[in-house]
Amino acid sequence: MPPVPNETSNLLAGGGTRQSGGLVSFEPQDIENLLSLNPKIKPYANAVPSAVTKKVKKHWKRNEDKSENLKCNTCSPLYNNFDDIKHTTLSERGALREAARCLKCADAPCQKSCPTQLDVKSFIGSIATKNYYGAAKAILSDNPLGLTCGMVCPTSDLCVGGCNLAATEEGAINIGGLQHFAVDMFKQMKISQVLPPDVPNPLPEAFKSKIALLGCGPASISAATFLGRLGYADITIYEKADYLGGLNTSELPAYRLPYDVINFELDLMKDLGVKIETGRALSTEDLTVEKLQKDGFATVFIGIGNPEAKTIPMFNGLTEEQGYFTSKSFLPQVARASKPGMCACKTQKLPELFGTVIVLGAGDTAFDCATSALRCGAKRVFVVFRKGFINIRAVPEEAELAKQEKCEFVPFLSPQEVVMKHGRIAALKFFRTEQDDEGRWIEDAEQPTKLKCDFVISAFGSGLYDAKVKNAMAPLKMTRWGTPEVDVTTMETSEPGVFCGGDLAGVAETAVEAVNDGKIAAWSIHRYIQKKFNVTVPSTPQLPKFYTDIDNVDISVDVCGIKFPNPYGLASAPPATTCGMIRRAFEAGWGFAVTKTFGLDKDIVTNVAPRIVRGTTSGHIYGPGQGAFLNIELISEKTAAYWCQGVTELKTDFPSHVVIASVMASYCKEDWQELVIMAQDAGSDGIELNLSCPHGMGERGMGLACGQDPDMVRNICTWVREVCTIPFFAKMTPNVTNIVSIAKAAKEGGADGVTAINTVSGLMGLNMKGVAWPAVGKEKKTTYGGVSGNAVKPMALKAVSAIAKALPGFPILATGGIDSADVTMQFLLAGASTMQVSSAIQNQDFTVIEDYITGLKALLYLSSIEGLEDWDGQSPPTARTQKGKPVVSVQNIIGKNLPNFGPYAKEKATVVAEEKKKMQNLLETEESSLEQNRPANKLKSLPPKVAEVIGKALDKIGTYSDLDNREHVVALIDPEMCINCGKCYMTCNDTGYQAIEFDPETHLPRVKNDSCTGCTLCYSVCPIIECIQMVPRSGLYEPKRGVALSSDWQPRLPDMQLRKKMDNAVVQ
């Protein structure tokens, strides 16, 4: 075995040499060498010549080196490279951090700015709690193309443009990236869409009406999906091309929108029975509106877009061979060659560009052409437009991307003439444009400009010019622009039963707006058809939400004969301050509520103020998302009569919901029995005995003054049992040495179960003047309050599991840090039956219940899916990513790993570019194979009931002596996921075992397996999920004792200190 720390010779601090077996308070030389980059407190100011720094900084640069831009820029490192380039793409780590920033505002402006009115705060809230199904459900309910729009929406002009956090230093939320992430997570689950539960069965005749949709683009896919959810069973989309998805497929490059995304959304639509026919066009030579009507179609939806490019006369007659493309001839060729699965073709070449390319236009499409041109071989790309930079129509993210990829922008030029040479385009002549004092743009012939080029791509927009298509729409009335007249509030045309949406309708300029056109049209179509069958439908849309079999999972649970519709309820806390609040909670979907604790009139209280303050356990976080709260609030200020009347009203209006009355009295039999009889007579389903309030009430001989004494708890429960005919639960205080003894006393006294735990007594903090918060009155005094929220979850989990192990089958109502379905499952596995929630509502509002319900259903359902055994809840195995994109590995190419900064990043980019150039067919690479979404994943068994998971983890929780000290792990660091921060190295050095080396040039850490003890500190502080993994150690772990044990050493506890036999050897 190699030498270990403190067991070899070393240089002393004073310069002397320590002999082996000497001093142990100095590090050996190998450790001193290892610590060379470990942080040290500097004794002096740093002083390094700027000339040195200018050179050194290049080595560590992760962003663009400005000096490099001054050099020759004629290469095309992007040739054949259609990898994801979106700056918004997020990994799970990035998504969780970004979602945690969201304020989830009231009357959220982000939602109002979304054409489909996505419930942005809800889906982001679900991401923050790792309920990715819930997030995707919220998105797809309002936008059937939620994944597409998450990837390509111009969010800076829509939802992000309204984000309230834009008013803060940290800036707006990356809503598009979060939307992309959430739906992509659901996509990986491979679960089919199903009809909503309220679809009539059997179907009335109206729902068998034939519906035709022309064009399989965003508008038609959206309309067909919503009509399918409404229950219509005979829906057909006709598409003239041999591919589906419209412009999203043919004109959005693969690095922005791969085809498997569109295929996924089409599969969800097909799940509802929608049929698609390709090779069928709206034309007098094929399908016409009148023909479809004669063929028995009740309605027709036209969503063909604007299929033809706008051009100007100077380009008439020019061909691609001569160097001229329109966006509508160029981008589809690029898509066919780079989007596997788009069409049946197996080989398709990219347009072969070279030299200099001029792109005319300043919209999103123009910039897509520019960045695509670089991938087709162009050495230089100039984006030329008539107006100035401030007038660019494209969203900032599109223009910025083109700039980052070295496209040049040339403003204030209007094309006038094509210069030909040897039968090809050689240059374009322009006049400079200027804006006069009245805002009109004029061309100045006295300021001509000539730009040499090899190719021109015009991106002037699109329109409808084909007479065969226009005539096929008869008898629709047309506008002066040759498009159908459309009521943009209903998407109705002039012809009854004919509807229109998308680009052709004149309002939609983006995919998401086209989706919304289809959404609005679906409701109008529904109203039109139902009216023909004499069924009245309201004008305000009531479109069904997105459903899967996950939504059919039963999460009800029986506790002590009480059926809870779901395991979530309001704790006896601020969310249950009034009966009206409980009513609103029930309307939102909460399954039960525990009233705010009330007592007899003689014990009525008046609260102090301030009394509920944010915690500091998660650092300096302001706003929602607090990890803890501290309160010094007492029991309810309202009378027992108020609460009893409220309970009666609530049970009358919500008979299937559970109401538990929380009561408190001093150590007096008569008082307890009087309160319990009152609550019971009011119609309560159960009683909760508050024996645990940690502040204020104890000084009155109530609350934890009773709950800390097992004998008092036993006696109170005995008194209550004498008069109580419904289940009652004793609420446990954690402010005791052994909570199990209190729970046992409650059971012995006749309690049907317990609630664990109440808040933990604490003092949250002091300011620098010695004043605590909350500070009451002029004297600024405070008292120890109750700490709640996520900070007390570990204590609550311990209490629940300890009680469950000690009292098998004894019902436990859990409370303390429950803020997600993920945490719910932890408490269920630890032995709890239901969840009481307060702090999470204080952080948000009653609507969090939807997130909890969908999340729990998803966890139960996914646990039964075949093929997802390696998932952790709703999280798939962590993908190897950098900045949200798949890790680009060069290990197999050059035989070594490279970090992602400075010269190494350049080297990696060069290696990747060379490999991409070698690719002959982008449609048949291993990375580009189309992922199949169907058939959907199957269940290997029925999803478990809530009752079936209660306590399942208890056999994994025991004493320390139950743990095996032979089966050790060591850390394994993935160098290609590593971001080179050195956190693992530092924590191992100063709080661990000096087992990680840190390369001074590459900043790549490497674990020394012989020194690693598997403590897992490095794994705990690493900022990248699963960049470090703990893997089994090869061979036995041999502790390094520092000073060897004596030869006559004898263990005091042999069973615990000696290892058992392993491989026929006994090892100490």
Side-chain angles (χ1 to χ4, degrees):
M1 188 176 72
V4 298
N6 304 324
E7 291 183 355
T8 59
S9 62
N10 188 21
L11 292 176
L12 300 180
T17 301
R18 177 176 62 81
Q19 300 299 318
S20 178
L23 302 173
V24 297
S25 60
F26 291 87
E27 301 285 11
Q29 189 60 50
D30 60 336
I31 297 300
E32 289 289 354
N33 294 338
L34 181 145
L35 294 172
S36 61
L37 296 179
N38 206 48
K40 299 176 179 64
I41 297 174
K42 65 180 185 180
Y44 311 108
N46 295 330
V48 177
S50 295
V52 174
T53 302
K54 280 181 177 290
K55 293 180 181 179
V56 171
K57 73 174 183 177
K58 294 179 182 292
H59 182 82
W60 305 108
K61 256 191 170 300
R62 289 188 183 269
N63 61 352
E64 197 172 66
D65 188 347
K66 290 192 296 182
S67 63
E68 293 295 317
N69 292 337
L70 303 177
K71 299 178 181 178
C72 176
N73 188 33
T74 59
C75 60
S76 182
L78 295 172
Y79 181 67
N80 268 359
N81 191 339
F82 287 83
D83 296 341
D84 180 8
I85 58 170
K86 296 183 296 297
H87 71 284
T88 56
T89 304
L90 295 168
S91 65
E92 184 171 23
R93 169 195 176 274
L96 290 171
R97 290 178 70 91
E98 187 68 1
R101 290 204 305 123
C102 179
L103 301 178
K104 306 168 192 70
C105 307
D107 200 29
C110 52
Q111 177 175 336
K112 294 175 179 294
S113 304
C114 173
T116 61
Q117 300 295 298
L118 270 189
D119 191 348
V120 176
K121 69 175 182 179
S122 288
F123 88 70
I124 294 181
S126 289
I127 293 173
T129 60
K130 300 187 74 172
N131 176 15
Y132 306 139
Y133 171 70
K137 178 179 172 69
I139 294 164
L140 295 171
S141 288
D142 279 310
N143 185 343
L145 278 73
L147 184 50
T148 288
C149 292
M151 299 176 83
V152 304
C153 256
T155 55
S156 62
D157 191 46
L158 300 172
C159 52
V160 172
C163 178
N164 285 330
L165 275 175
T168 66
E169 298 90 337
E170 59 267 34
I173 295 291
N174 177 6
I175 298 174
L178 290 171
Q179 181 174 329
H180 170 190
F181 169 80
V183 187
D184 187 62
M185 283 287 156
F186 171 69
K187 175 174 174 282
Q188 294 180 54
M189 296 176 189
K190 292 181 71 171
I191 295 172
S192 300
Q193 181 172 197
V194 300
L195 290 174
D198 54 355
V199 169
N201 187 16
L203 282 176
E205 284 302 310
F207 290 91
K208 299 175 184 177
S209 301
K210 293 173 66 176
I211 301 172
L213 300 99
L214 298 166
C216 193
S220 293
I221 296 171
S222 174
T225 298
F226 281 109
L227 288 166
R229 290 179 190 172
L230 283 163
Y232 290 94
D234 195 351
I235 306 169
T236 305
I237 298 178
Y238 297 99
E239 169 56 53
K240 72 173 183 179
D242 60 350
Y243 57 84
L244 307 174
L247 302 189
N248 287 349
T249 296
S250 63
E251 296 191 21
L252 292 180
Y255 48 85
R256 289 186 61 209
L257 185 66
Y259 184 72
D260 74 299
V261 170
I262 296 160
N263 191 50
F264 159 73
E265 291 164 341
L266 288 166
D267 283 337
L268 288 178
M269 179 187 73
K270 292 176 187 175
D271 289 339
L272 301 175
V274 176
K275 302 178 288 292
I276 305 174
E277 291 187 23
T278 56
R280 303 299 306 276
L282 176 64
S283 168
T284 53
E285 297 178 349
D286 188 6
L287 299 171
T288 68
V289 169
E290 290 180 328
K291 182 180 178 182
L292 288 168
Q293 290 174 327
K294 289 177 182 177
D295 288 345
F297 284 91
T299 62
V300 177
F301 176 80
I302 304 174
I304 62 171
N306 285 320
E308 298 159 84
K310 292 180 180 178
T311 59
I312 52 179
M314 62 181 283
F315 295 117
N316 288 347
L318 291 177
T319 66
E320 294 175 9
E321 290 72 22
Q322 294 172 304
Y324 175 68
F325 293 85
T326 68
S327 61
K328 288 203 171 284
S329 63
F330 176 66
L331 289 174
Q333 289 186 55
V334 176
R336 282 182 179 275
S338 60
K339 289 188 172 184
M342 171 179 166
C343 53
C345 53
K346 296 298 181 182
T347 58
Q348 184 83 25
K349 288 188 176 181
L350 292 168
E352 295 183 5
L353 305 185
F354 55 84
T356 299
V357 175
I358 289 178
V359 177
L360 299 173
D364 294 332
T365 301
F367 289 103
D368 282 339
C369 289
T371 51
S372 293
L374 292 171
R375 289 159 174 80
C376 295
K379 300 300 182 183
R380 303 178 189 82
V381 175
F382 293 92
V383 182
V384 182
F385 40 96
R386 293 179 59 247
K387 300 179 183 179
F389 284 100
I390 62 173
N391 306 110
I392 289 177
R393 289 188 295 110
V395 291
E397 46 265 49
E398 281 278 331
E400 183 60 28
L401 175 62
K403 177 184 173 184
Q404 290 174 3
E405 295 194 343
K406 308 297 191 298
C407 296
E408 298 288 352
F409 297 0
V410 186
F412 302 115
L413 292 181
S414 177
Q416 301 297 314
E417 181 184 343
V418 179
V419 178
M420 304 293 290
K421 189 174 184 180
H422 305 304
R424 286 188 52 83
I425 294 175
L428 285 184
K429 291 183 178 180
F430 300 87
F431 289 160
R432 179 173 173 81
T433 60
E434 294 178 347
Q435 195 170 20
D436 64 19
D437 293 341
E438 295 180 2
R440 294 171 300 187
W441 287 92
I442 57 175
E443 297 174 352
D444 186 355
E446 296 181 1
Q447 298 187 72
T449 298
K450 179 180 176 181
L451 296 179
K452 294 181 178 180
C453 62
D454 299 287
F455 294 89
V456 173
I457 304 173
S458 64
F460 296 135
S462 55
L464 176 62
Y465 310 112
D466 191 333
K468 294 176 183 178
V469 177
K470 292 184 177 182
N471 292 337
M473 297 185 197
L476 271 60
K477 293 181 180 178
M478 310 296 273
T479 67
R480 59 190 176 97
W481 298 284
T483 57
E485 289 186 358
V486 179
D487 181 340
V488 295
T489 62
T490 63
M491 312 318 295
E492 296 170 298
T493 67
S494 60
E495 176 69 11
V498 181
F499 303 81
C500 181
D503 291 349
L504 190 63
V507 174
E509 296 177 328
T510 60
V512 68
E513 289 170 331
V515 169
N516 198 56
D517 280 359
K519 183 179 184 180
I520 298 301
W523 188 252
S524 297
I525 291 171
H526 175 55
R527 292 187 71 215
Y528 176 81
I529 292 175
Q530 294 300 316
K531 185 177 181 180
K532 291 177 67 176
F533 287 84
N534 298 315
V535 177
T536 302
V537 174
S539 58
T540 302
Q542 297 176 5
L543 292 164
K545 294 164 70 173
F546 176 80
Y547 281 88
T548 72
D549 282 333
I550 288 176
D551 299 297
N552 297 324
V553 173
D554 179 12
I555 58 170
S556 64
V557 61
D558 288 342
V559 181
C560 302
I562 306 172
K563 182 170 184 178
F564 292 74
N566 62 63
Y568 295 108
L570 306 185
S572 178
T577 295
T578 70
C579 296
M581 294 169 72
I582 294 175
R583 177 178 292 274
R584 286 192 288 112
F586 284 171
E587 291 169 348
W590 292 85
F592 73 99
V594 185
T595 69
K596 196 84 161 71
T597 302
F598 60 91
L600 296 173
D601 288 353
K602 65 180 181 180
D603 291 318
I604 204 75
V605 302
T606 300
N607 279 303
V608 297
R611 61 180 178 276
I612 305 174
V613 300
R614 69 181 185 89
T616 56
T617 56
S618 299
H620 301 291
I621 295 177
Y622 298 91
Q626 295 299 321
F629 289 93
L630 178 138
N631 83 88
I632 52 173
E633 184 163 283
L634 303 177
I635 63 173
S636 177
E637 295 176 324
K638 300 189 183 317
T639 63
Y642 166 87
W643 283 109
C644 289
Q645 180 180 337
V647 168
T648 302
E649 293 175 7
L650 290 167
K651 285 305 298 178
T652 299
D653 294 345
F654 301 92
S656 63
H657 288 67
V658 175
V659 179
I660 298 174
S662 176
V663 298
M664 180 189 288
S666 62
Y667 189 64
C668 173
K669 178 178 180 179
E670 291 75 16
D671 290 354
W672 278 107
Q673 291 186 340
E674 181 181 351
L675 274 170
V676 168
I677 291 170
M678 289 175 63
Q680 185 172 269
D681 291 346
S684 301
D685 295 288
I687 308 289
E688 184 175 271
L689 313 182
N690 189 335
L691 303 172
S692 48
C693 182
H695 48 266
M697 304 312 295
E699 299 166 24
R700 304 170 187 225
M702 306 166 77
L704 92 169
C706 301
Q708 289 179 323
D709 186 326
D711 291 333
M712 295 176 76
V713 170
R714 185 183 301 107
N715 290 339
I716 291 171
C717 290
T718 301
W719 300 336
V720 170
R721 184 78 285 165
E722 291 175 3
V723 298
C724 189
T725 59
I726 59 177
F728 75 88
F729 308 87
K731 190 168 187 179
M732 300 285 97
T733 175
N735 304 297
V736 292
T737 302
N738 184 2
I739 198 169
V740 172
S741 64
I742 306 295
K744 286 181 176 178
K747 183 178 182 182
E748 291 164 2
D752 296 278
V754 295
T755 297
I757 57 176
N758 207 324
T759 55
V760 178
S761 184
L763 183 67
M764 193 57 74
L766 303 164
N767 70 13
M768 295 307 97
K769 295 180 180 179
V771 177
W773 181 245
V776 179
K778 294 180 180 179
E779 295 182 343
K780 303 295 183 185
K781 289 192 173 182
T782 194
T783 187
Y784 302 117
V787 179
S788 64
N790 194 261
V792 305
K793 175 193 143 193
M795 291 164 263
L797 270 176
K798 178 190 174 185
V800 167
S801 59
I803 295 169
K805 285 180 72 72
L807 302 172
F810 192 50
I812 304 170
L813 314 185
T815 185
I818 299 159
D819 58 4
S820 66
D822 209 53
V823 173
T824 298
M825 186 62 82
Q826 296 175 45
F827 274 95
L828 290 171
L829 293 168
S833 299
T834 66
M835 310 294 134
Q836 296 184 20
V837 183
S838 174
S839 293
I841 301 172
Q842 292 168 203
N843 264 317
Q844 187 52 40
D845 55 63
F846 287 140
T847 62
V848 295
I849 184 59
E850 185 174 31
D851 171 52
Y852 298 172
I853 288 174
T854 58
L856 182 58
K857 288 182 175 183
L859 290 172
L860 294 172
Y861 188 89
L862 294 178
S863 69
S864 301
I865 285 186
E866 186 176 346
L868 300 188
E869 291 82 5
D870 55 351
W871 284 46
D872 180 18
Q874 296 193 50
S875 295
T878 301
R880 300 177 71 237
T881 62
Q882 274 263 350
K883 297 184 74 173
K885 318 291 193 299
V887 161
V888 178
S889 177
V890 295
Q891 170 72 36
N892 296 334
I893 303 172
I894 62 174
K896 63 179 179 179
N897 296 308
L898 294 173
N900 292 284
F901 61 81
Y904 310 108
K906 291 180 184 177
E907 182 182 354
K908 180 180 280 191
T910 300
V911 171
V912 171
E914 289 302 315
E915 289 299 304
K916 294 286 186 183
K917 286 180 182 179
K918 299 175 185 177
M919 296 166 60
Q920 299 297 315
N921 184 4
L922 299 179
L923 302 180
E924 291 189 341
T925 65
E926 182 178 346
E927 295 81 4
S928 64
S929 57
L930 181 66
E931 182 181 350
Q932 296 300 318
N933 305 301
R934 298 292 179 270
N937 279 326
K938 296 180 180 178
L939 291 174
K940 57 188 176 184
S941 60
L942 291 176
K945 302 286 187 182
V946 170
E948 294 170 354
V949 300
I950 294 173
K952 284 189 68 175
L954 291 176
D955 62 345
K956 302 285 194 230
I957 305 169
T959 64
Y960 190 87
S961 60
D962 294 332
L963 309 181
D964 192 330
N965 64 1
R966 298 168 303 163
E967 299 181 13
H968 271 242
V969 294
V970 293
L972 177 66
I973 301 172
D974 185 334
E976 292 185 324
M977 289 178 71
C978 178
I979 63 171
N980 320 102
C981 65
K983 296 302 294 183
C984 56
Y985 166 74
M986 292 185 286
T987 194
C988 187
N989 285 340
D990 286 3
T991 55
Y993 297 86
Q994 301 84 51
I996 297 178
E997 297 175 329
F998 197 55
D999 189 285
E1001 295 297 319
T1002 65
H1003 278 187
L1004 287 174
R1006 186 184 71 84
V1007 177
K1008 298 166 60 181
N1009 285 353
D1010 60 328
S1011 300
C1012 178
T1013 69
C1015 73
T1016 322
L1017 264 174
C1018 57
Y1019 177 92
S1020 301
V1021 302
C1022 179
I1024 305 300
I1025 301 174
E1026 297 302 318
C1027 176
I1028 300 177
Q1029 298 186 49
M1030 305 308 295
V1031 299
R1033 172 187 287 276
S1034 58
L1036 279 176
Y1037 164 63
E1038 298 185 25
K1040 297 168 182 177
R1041 306 295 186 186
V1043 174
L1045 296 168
S1046 63
S1047 58
D1048 60 350
W1049 170 78
Q1050 292 293 324
R1052 184 176 66 85
L1053 301 170
D1055 289 343
M1056 297 180 68
Q1057 293 173 266
L1058 292 180
R1059 290 171 172 170
K1060 299 175 183 179
K1061 281 190 175 183
M1062 183 177 183
D1063 297 331
N1064 299 318
V1066 176
V1067 183
Q1068 291 183 354

